[in-house]
């Protein structure tokens, strides 16, 4: 029976607007060739590191559920990736396959948004075992719940960098910088810890046609608060949502901004690229949803 990627649910929230799902087992299998034979004489599974990666256009719902630094996966707030079975005539059925993580971390990896395009958010979920023996991922047949409609979309609205408002922006990429992975001990098959050995190091890259303002950042950079604002399309696709400001998504960053280049080619309009490298003020996360 054929299946198609269908939905992701975190706790009680179905994350709408999912565009792809990749449920990975990541086995490490060793089959080294020794002396006396051209062939491996022993193949062994050293580790298995299940994780689920997916992408969503439902930026507001996803960031509200995950925050900018990730959220814990638990028995009460598990993460489930669903794949729906297709009927013989190619229609969507009501059953399928589900991959469930009951322990771990689900986090935003990267947000990308461009002029007149939907913002998309890359998300990854890491899992670990309670004791190195219990499987971190369960999978099997499942009844598939109804989808949440994918009609809440956001696009680029405005950019302020270190107190300087840039106009005519074309591209923003936010790397949330969550340097998380799993760690195992004692040669257990499954990892038993989540680690963030390299911390959380967000960066924001902006491309803008407003090149006159690059000099306000100065050559050695400028420190200050920066904001990226996304505007919501009307849920019926006619213009933007009523009460625009109330439907905006605002991401606020603290750090130092440097313009990296001013580039042009032939008669085309030249553009500037800026990077904001975030740091901690002693109280708040470097990048927050507001």
């Amino acid at each position: 029976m054929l299946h198609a990627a269908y939905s992701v649910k975190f706790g009680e929230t179905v994350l709408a607007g999912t565009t792809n799902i990749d449920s990975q087992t990541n086995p490490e299998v060793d089959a080294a060739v020794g002396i006396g034979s051209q062939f491996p004489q022993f193949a062994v599974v050293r580790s298995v590191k299940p994780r689920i990666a997916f992408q969503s256009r439902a930026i507001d719902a996803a960031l509200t559920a995950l925050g900018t630094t990730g959220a814990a996966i638990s028995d009460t707030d598990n993460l489930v990736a669903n794949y729906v079975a297709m009927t013989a005539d190619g229609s969507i059925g009501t059953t399928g396959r589900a991959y469930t993580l009951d322990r771990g971390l689900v986090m935003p990896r990267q947000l990308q948004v461009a002029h007149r395009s939907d913002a998309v958010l890359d998300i990854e979920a890491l899992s670990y075992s309670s004791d190195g023996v219990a499987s971190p991922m369960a999978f099997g047949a499942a009844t598939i719940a109804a989808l949440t409609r994918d009609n809440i979309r956001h696009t680029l609205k405005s950019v302020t960098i270190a107190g300087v408002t840039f106009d005519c922006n074309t591209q923003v990429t936010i790397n949330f910088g969550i340097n998380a992975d799993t760690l195992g001990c004692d040669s257990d098959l499954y990892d038993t810890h989540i680690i963030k050995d390299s911390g959380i190091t967000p960066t924001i890259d902006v491309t803008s046609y407003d090149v006159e303002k690059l000099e306000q950042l100065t050559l050695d950079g400028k420190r200050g608060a920066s904001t990226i604002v996304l505007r919501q399309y009307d849920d019926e696709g006619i213009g933007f949502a009523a009460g625009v400001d109330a439907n905006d998504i605002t991401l606020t960053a603290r750090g130092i901004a440097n313009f990296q280049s001013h580039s042009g080619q032939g008669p085309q309009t030249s553009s500037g690229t800026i990077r904001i490298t975030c740091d901690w003020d002693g109280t708040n996360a470097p990048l927050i949803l507001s």
Side-chain angles (χ1 to χ4, degrees), residues 158-176:
S158 64
V159 176
T160 299
I161 301 174
V164 181
T165 298
F166 279 76
D167 300 311
C168 212
N169 307 294
T170 62
Q171 175 81 37
V172 173
T173 300
I174 300 174
N175 286 294
F176 291 86

Side-chain angles (χ1 to χ4, degrees), residues 185-207:
C185 311
D186 300 325
S187 301
D188 289 333
L189 180 63
Y190 302 120
D191 290 345
T192 51
H193 300 81
I194 293 282
I195 56 170
K196 298 176 184 175
D197 283 354
S198 298
I200 299 176
T201 56
T203 58
I204 303 172
D205 294 310
V206 177
T207 302

